[in-house]
Amino acid sequence: MTTQRTYVVTGAASGIGKASKELLEAAGNTVIGVDLRDTDINVDLTTADGRATMVAQATELSGGRVDAVLAIAGLSAPIPATAGVNYFGAIATLEGLRPLLAKSDAPRAATVASMASLHPHDDALLEAFIAGDEPKAIARAQELADLGPEVGYMIYSTSKQALARWVRRTAPTAEWAGAGIPLNAIAPGVILTPMTAELVATEEGRKQLNEQVPMPLNGPAAAIVPAELLVWLTSEQNSHLCGQVIFVDGGYDAVTRGESTW
Ligand SMILES: NC(=O)c1ccc[n+]([C@@H]2O[C@H](COP(=O)([O-])OP(=O)(O)OC[C@H]3O[C@@H](n4cnc5c(N)ncnc54)[C@H](O)[C@@H]3O)[C@@H](O)[C@H]2O)c1
């Protein structure tokens, strides 16, 4: 039987986060949105202050118990803030709210990596992410950004690879699996949200995207598609998925990696 649950959803003001919040609310759940603006908790998840305020306000608004956390907020721009929010912001959300999850009878957590995790990455930035060294990661991201948008794109792809790796590394540990909290990620292909709106606005952009990210099954997807998967991953029904990075990408992963699984 499904019961009403309390969720924290970051990135709740737009795209996949907004679609997830709406789906959860339509099913009768309580959702505490987090975003830069236009939602319940308005903070900047690239800053220590913003992260601390998010945890304090989520604690207050939830009464100290949260059933699920969906860390969705992200940027794709070739700028250092992308490293800050996509990796350190997502982890600060998941780790910061873990004590509230621990109070739930059926706690769940999920975040959003990307098909971009399969794209070329920057080794130095990946190392800084894995070491948890935010100042070093931001400094390296600035160096990449300074080399122009093509190189700067690696801030995004590297942040998503690092996040996927963090999920795989962290999910089976005592703090998560050992505490009965499934932690997983999704890796969307091209999703039609404000993040991709400019890219898909022109015939040329769509053609380029289709060459870079072929999606033989139904092409680019609406925000509700990954949202449905996030909602299931953070539902009571998900009792045994642990550290999975699930590609919801119209086949891009299968096309790119072929038969190899690992
Ligand atoms: N759209 C795609 O094709 C696609 C593909 C793969 C992964 N993703 C990932 O899905 C997630 C959601 O993206 P979307 O497509 O819905 O984009 P979106 O731009 O519609 O929504 C992202 C939201 O995150 C918020 N955000 C950004 N920086 C923030 C910060 N510092 N603090 C707080 N909130 C912040 C934005 O304000 C925005 O509301 C992102 O992590 C993105 O990288 C998107």
Side-chain angles (χ1 to χ4, degrees), residues 4-204:
Q4 289 187 356
R5 290 159 60 76
T6 299
Y7 291 73
V8 174
V9 175
T10 74
S14 178
I16 299 168
K18 185 165 185 251
S20 302
K21 186 172 192 280
E22 286 169 359
L23 270 177
L24 289 164
E25 285 174 342
N29 299 290
T30 298
V31 180
I32 301 167
V34 181
D35 208 303
L36 287 169
R37 60 188 76 82
D38 301 331
T39 191
D40 307 300
I41 301 176
N42 299 299
V43 292
D44 181 349
L45 291 172
T46 63
T47 69
D49 263 9
R51 293 167 191 165
T53 304
M54 181 269 298
V55 172
Q57 290 191 14
T59 305
E60 197 182 315
L61 291 172
S62 67
R65 196 203 79 203
V66 165
D67 297 297
V69 175
L70 286 73
I72 301 174
L75 287 172
S76 60
I79 55 174
T82 296
V85 64
N86 289 11
Y87 186 77
F88 297 104
I91 292 171
T93 301
L94 293 162
E95 286 183 341
L97 298 177
R98 204 179 54 79
L100 310 193
L101 284 172
K103 305 264 171 58
S104 169
D105 294 333
R108 308 284 183 260
T111 190
V112 182
S114 173
M115 53 74 190
S117 60
L118 302 179
H119 291 167
H121 69 272
D122 179 69
D123 282 336
L125 181 55
L126 187 63
E127 231 172 78
F129 280 136
I130 290 173
D133 189 336
E134 189 162 4
K136 199 170 180 186
I138 297 300
R140 179 59 186 161
Q142 185 63 61
E143 288 173 4
L144 297 173
D146 289 344
L147 294 170
E150 226 160 273
V151 176
Y153 174 75
M154 286 198 292
I155 301 169
Y156 184 69
S157 58
T158 309
S159 73
K160 293 301 188 180
Q161 184 180 139
L163 184 61
R165 290 169 70 132
W166 180 84
V167 167
R168 291 197 59 76
R169 190 164 71 243
T170 307
T173 62
E175 289 77 21
W176 293 90
I181 313 173
L183 168 64
N184 296 281
I186 65 167
V190 178
I191 309 298
L192 300 169
T193 70
M195 185 176 278
T196 53
E198 215 176 297
L199 282 172
V200 300
T202 62
E203 182 68 31
E204 196 196 333

